[in-house]
Amino acid sequence: MNRLIVTGASSGIGRAIATRFLVDGWGVLNLSRRPCPDAGVDNLACDLAAPGALEQCAGALQEALAGAERVCLVHNASVMHADHADALEAEHLRAVLELNLVAAATLNRLLLGRMGAGSSVIYIGSTLAEKAVPGVASYVIAKHALAGMMRATCQDLAGRGVHTCMICPGFTDTEQLRGVIDGNAETLAAITGLSAFDRLIEPEEIAETVAFAAGAPVLNGALIHANLGQRER
């Protein structure tokens, strides 16, 4: 059996990824505080923002890889807050980086040595991995750093037959985005208008892109923007 391990599949893009891989017959394991509601997904409860939490899951994670011919590890879980670079408290930034970066690095350390040739590591980035907008400083910082982690992964795994890439969604219709918008119709219209297609991206579109990337070693080291084409302002 092929095995997908994905973080944050209780909703949004992560859930769509889990569903997409189930269709292809993969065994799917979700790591998050809340379970993925889709039948067929195995859930391992873990607060990825809590230091040391993944270490306690190490045995179960490694057991999940037993017998897997190919493994796809998807670093999806993230958090976006409204914050500004000139007012970032150290404790707040550490918490953001714990979830967005440290959890991914810990999973890599626990699992990459057990993933055979044909496996993949997919990072879910953002359009904001290579640019910035005001008001979400910690998210911009974290996604820029995650792009660096993907590139380091590419170099350090060279010759092992395991490929990596980063998929960078634009504005995607998820609970997290809706929470940041907080019902502001003007904000929704503004970000929708940034798309060359005048709409938000559907989580399923990102999931389809991830499924393709998992089977495409030619993308090793690539950062791929999946944003419908954004209008430059």
Side-chain angles (χ1 to χ4, degrees):
M1 176 183 287
N2 297 326
R3 171 66 84 171
L4 169 72
I5 296 181
V6 56
T7 60
S10 56
S11 63
I13 290 173
R15 180 182 179 183
I17 292 170
T19 302
R20 178 63 181 79
F21 277 72
L22 282 175
V23 169
D24 283 347
W26 289 58
V28 176
L29 176 65
N30 164 49
L31 275 167
S32 63
R33 290 178 300 171
R34 296 180 291 126
C36 176
D38 290 4
V41 174
D42 298 321
N43 292 285
L44 184 57
C46 182
D47 184 355
L48 298 168
L54 278 169
E55 303 290 353
Q56 300 175 23
C57 300
L61 284 168
Q62 291 165 359
E63 183 179 342
L65 298 189
E69 182 177 347
R70 292 171 57 204
V71 175
C72 179
L73 172 60
V74 179
H75 297 301
N76 167 72
S78 67
V79 62
M80 175 189 283
H81 294 295
D83 50 30
H84 296 79
D86 58 353
L88 273 181
E89 297 288 346
E91 183 177 353
H92 170 74
L93 182 58
R94 286 192 189 100
V96 170
L97 298 182
E98 187 73 38
L99 174 60
N100 289 23
L101 291 173
V102 177
T106 302
L107 276 172
N108 284 347
R109 175 171 54 82
L110 293 173
L111 300 181
L112 290 186
R114 298 171 179 265
M115 292 167 55
S119 296
S120 57
V121 186
I122 311 297
Y123 295 83
I124 304 301
S126 166
T127 300
L128 300 181
E130 290 195 317
K131 62 183 291 184
V133 296
V136 286
S138 63
Y139 186 79
V140 170
I141 292 166
K143 291 302 186 181
H144 273 67
L146 198 65
M149 189 184 299
M150 182 276 293
R151 290 171 172 135
T153 303
C154 173
Q155 295 301 308
D156 289 339
L157 298 187
R160 289 167 51 177
V162 177
H163 70 277
T164 185
C165 66
M166 173 177 273
I167 307 300
C168 293
F171 292 108
T172 305
D173 195 358
T174 64
E175 293 89 336
Q176 178 168 263
L177 179 65
R178 294 283 180 174
V180 172
I181 293 170
D182 194 26
N184 189 311
E186 290 184 2
T187 301
L188 178 60
I191 63 174
T192 301
L194 289 174
S195 165
F197 281 71
D198 296 308
R199 67 173 177 85
L200 297 177
I201 298 160
E202 294 298 328
E204 292 75 17
E205 293 177 289
I206 303 303
E208 190 68 34
T209 307
V210 171
F212 173 78
V218 71
L219 299 179
N220 194 27
L223 190 151
I224 301 163
H225 288 287
N227 59 21
L228 292 173
Q230 288 195 185
R231 293 186 172 99
E232 295 300 328
R233 295 290 190 252

